[in-house]
Amino acid sequence: MSIDTRITFLVGAGLVADARVPMSIELAQRLKDGLRETAHRPSTGTRMDAESALARHLLAVFNFLNGGIRFQEGVLDRDPDRPVNIEQVAAAAFELQARLANPVAPYTSGWHQRILELESQCEGLLEKFIDFIYSQLAKWLTISDTDELSYLVRMADLAQNDVGVDIFSLNYDLCIETALLSARRQFVNGFTDDHGWQPSVFEGDHPIRLFKLHGSLDWIDDMYFGICSLEHPGHVEKNSIQHDNTKPLLIFGTNNKLSPREPFLTLAYHFSQRVLSTQILVIIGYSFGDDYINRIVEQGFRKNQKLRIIVVSPSAAMKTKEHAYLDGTPRVTHIDKKAKDALNGNLVFKRVYKLLDEMSKEEAF
């Protein structure tokens, strides 16, 4: 089958909210609650006491970071009572862990006394805090009822005849992969089961291509086998890979998510090229919170005059008004619905094919 047209999706956390995948604010609350529960566990005289002691240290770090984030919001004349999300907490921990490498570090007179006190009580505390977050992500983001994900397959329904679908996901979870495989829909994601990361697999007329721009819970960077996937597809040597203590390969908790390392550089390049060449970009469940993603979309929209954008969100109309290049142009439409309602109701499907029909008639003249 020859693919003449490719529909591009950009999806964020809101895509899977209807499947009860916790959003970033809820993840921060789960982090806090989990640490508090362990920290306040009654003494048993076993190694569980050591876990409780560490949890008390980690909870103190969370409280310190949470307070600092809220204080900064107030300094910037923003609402300090807004819920703090897991990305903000992780970003603060990463920055503090690497604070001596910060270019402005030589010009500061010192760091907050509280963080110095916390570090003196537990060696490598910030690293342990970050490791704990990573260790919990798979548990927090795993869906037990795969039937909850069935609506995600509606994106793949557009892949028929001479139309292909490219899904660029900002999510770490495995919801899209699980949904597609449950529906027996084949896709490529840049990985092979024998050679790991092989971006050449994106080449050719594949009906469905999945690009996970910020990484995936089943990706690791192994010292022997390189960058590989443990599930989709599972590397043939995955049982030989010592991955129990290996962090998943993610761009997590940083302010600048455009990474120069693989596979992220190649994935970002593919996204940039698709926005420059695609006719239709469907944005679902994305809060426009990543600056480099926003820049790629804006630059592509200005340069690619054939590009039409569909924004899907309960607050889609408001989101388009917040960005001048999206506001007031007939090239941008919105569907003010949750992802599940918009996909299951065929609203996205119908809007895409309506645009394709309109564009084909324009080209005829």
Side-chain angles (χ1 to χ4, degrees), residues 16 44 48 59 99 104 109-110 131 136 174 203 228 241-242 253 258 264-265 270 283 295 301 309 316 320 342 344 352:
V16 292
T44 61
M48 294 175 66
L59 181 60
R99 61 187 182 272
V104 303
S109 59
D131 287 345
Q136 300 300 301
L174 305 178
E203 299 171 4
C228 54
I241 298 174
Q242 302 297 317
L258 182 56
F264 305 110
L265 188 61
H270 274 283
I283 301 176
R295 289 177 182 271
F301 187 72
I309 294 179
T320 57
N344 274 349
V352 167

Side-chain angles (χ1 to χ4, degrees), residues 191-198 220-230 235-242:
F191 286 83
T192 65
D193 59 4
D194 52 353
H195 291 102
W197 173 241
Q198 293 289 318
I220 64 169
D221 190 356
D222 184 76
M223 64 182 300
Y224 296 109
F225 299 104
I227 299 170
C228 54
S229 172
L230 299 176
H235 195 279
V236 291
E237 299 290 347
K238 67 179 182 180
N239 293 330
S240 303
I241 298 174
Q242 302 297 317

Side-chain angles (χ1 to χ4, degrees), residues 10 271 275 281 293-301 309 325:
L10 171 63
F271 180 56
V275 176
L281 172 64
I293 292 291
N294 296 343
R295 289 177 182 271
I296 290 175
V297 173
E298 181 175 359
Q299 291 170 6
F301 187 72
I309 294 179
Y325 73 98

Side-chain angles (χ1 to χ4, degrees), residues 119-193:
E119 288 181 318
S120 69
Q121 296 168 8
C122 181
E123 184 178 356
L125 182 58
L126 287 168
E127 182 178 1
K128 291 176 181 177
F129 182 79
I130 294 168
D131 287 345
F132 181 79
I133 294 177
Y134 271 97
S135 72
Q136 300 300 301
L137 282 176
K139 179 178 70 175
W140 291 335
L141 298 176
T142 297
I143 298 299
S144 56
D145 185 0
T146 57
D147 290 340
E148 295 277 358
L149 305 173
S150 60
Y151 69 94
L152 300 179
V153 182
R154 303 286 78 76
M155 293 187 292
D157 288 346
L158 286 163
Q160 54 182 279
N161 301 322
D162 59 349
V163 176
V165 169
D166 290 333
I167 304 172
F168 290 87
S169 173
L170 303 174
N171 303 332
Y172 314 124
D173 59 69
L174 305 178
C175 292
I176 295 175
E177 296 94 322
T178 302
L180 291 175
L181 290 178
S182 296
R184 301 176 186 266
R185 304 300 294 268
Q186 298 299 313
F187 64 92
V188 295
N189 66 351
F191 286 83
T192 65
D193 59 4

Side-chain angles (χ1 to χ4, degrees), residues 50-62:
E51 294 177 0
S52 295
L54 176 59
R56 286 193 290 274
H57 289 301
L58 299 182
L59 181 60
V61 172
F62 177 89

